Amino acid sequence: SQTIHQWPATLVQPVGSPLSLECTVEGTSNPNLYWYRQAAGRGLQLLFYSVGIGQISSEVPQNLSASRPQDRQFILSSKKLLLSDSGFYLCAWSKTEAFFGQGTRLTVV
Amino acid sequence: AQKVTQAQTEISVVEKEDVTLDCVYETRDTTYYLFWYKQPPSGELVFLIRRNSFDEQNEISGRYSWNFQKSTSSFNFTITASQVVDSAVYFCALNLGGNEKLTFGTGTRLTIIP
């Protein structure tokens, strides 16, 4: 069966510090991968999606970047965090329906 | 572009009551897929159902049922005999195919009062 792992679960980072969130998928090959952000009390905003290694599409201009160095690995990064980067970040994979990781709650202070 | 609207921001019902969560979608494509996800307090999104645009047959799964009506572009979700464990945020979503990105509604926060 397929599983998706996302870590860390929570993170508190100072403004201006770098960020790296990692997501890995097991049990499937060549999935579509996604990073979503959910601000407090808000809906889900698609940040990045990838249909293959090295292929990244950005949905909104922002302070973040994504990379897919391996087929089942998706990384969300920032060189310098802003206060507005705080939120709940969810990684997902899909073939037909999408399945989500457990999320990372990021607080930038 | 696709759009999903969940007009109900928050709903509260007493346990054992039935509750319907509304979802209205917009797309110009004739082939599309509709989804419902549940987000419990833990934060993870749990897949509930996927329905394609060519299948308007309503679906029932235990206490959950879904009513898909293309004429009104709606895909409503009903929970029968609600339970406290049903308390969560529920998201409706749409995409244009298996490998396409999902467009989410803003979610409905459902609170079941014991």
Side-chain angles (χ1 to χ4, degrees):
Chain A
S1 63
Q2 301 85 15
T3 56
I4 179 168
H5 303 280
Q6 184 182 342
W7 66 94
T10 59
L11 192 59
V12 180
Q13 292 283 98
V15 170
S17 64
L19 172 74
S20 181
L21 301 181
E22 189 163 343
C23 172
T24 59
V25 180
E26 295 177 359
T28 187
S29 60
N30 197 32
N32 278 10
L33 296 173
Y34 308 86
W35 278 109
Y36 285 87
R37 177 170 60 198
Q38 185 177 28
R42 303 282 298 276
L44 289 149
Q45 179 187 38
L46 178 63
L47 302 176
F48 300 96
Y49 71 98
S50 171
V51 298
I53 297 174
Q55 300 179 62
I56 309 294
S57 296
S58 174
E59 287 296 294
V60 293
Q62 60 205 314
N63 184 44
L64 302 168
S65 62
S67 62
R68 185 171 178 173
Q70 300 180 43
D71 180 45
R72 290 170 290 176
Q73 183 185 29
F74 205 25
I75 299 172
L76 182 69
S77 304
S78 173
K79 292 182 179 178
K80 289 186 176 181
L81 283 169
L82 306 172
L83 286 174
S84 57
D85 292 325
S86 293
F88 189 57
Y89 290 81
L90 285 155
C91 179
W93 74 273
S94 74
K95 289 276 191 172
T96 51
E97 53 269 22
F99 296 93
F100 288 79
Q102 295 195 326
T104 296
R105 196 164 301 282
L106 171 66
T107 303
V108 182
V109 296
Chain B
Q2 295 74 45
K3 184 178 179 181
V4 176
T5 301
Q6 294 179 257
Q8 303 152 308
T9 305
E10 295 190 26
I11 301 175
S12 294
V13 300
V14 176
E15 194 173 19
K16 297 184 183 178
E17 289 185 352
D18 300 346
V19 58
T20 296
L21 309 182
D22 298 333
C23 173
V24 174
Y25 62 91
E26 297 176 30
T27 179
R28 293 186 176 182
D29 289 79
T30 56
T31 300
Y32 52 88
Y33 296 81
L34 296 164
F35 304 79
W36 275 96
Y37 285 86
K38 174 182 180 180
Q39 187 178 38
S42 61
E44 179 182 357
L45 265 76
V46 178
F47 166 77
L48 296 178
I49 189 171
R50 171 179 179 260
R51 175 54 51 86
N52 74 59
S53 53
F54 299 108
D55 182 5
E56 283 194 78
Q57 190 171 11
N58 291 333
E59 182 156 341
I60 298 174
S61 176
R63 297 185 295 108
Y64 295 172
S65 61
W66 291 269
N67 185 337
F68 176 27
Q69 302 236 347
K70 290 179 77 171
S71 60
T72 55
S73 297
S74 65
F75 187 43
N76 296 339
F77 173 29
T78 297
I79 301 175
T80 303
S82 61
Q83 299 176 4
V84 172
V85 293
D86 296 327
S87 296
V89 180
Y90 290 85
F91 289 94
C92 182
L94 174 149
N95 75 6
L96 301 183
N99 285 336
E100 295 293 324
K101 56 193 176 185
L102 282 165
T103 298
F104 281 87
T106 52
T108 298
R109 181 176 298 278
L110 175 64
T111 301
I112 309 300
I113 303 166

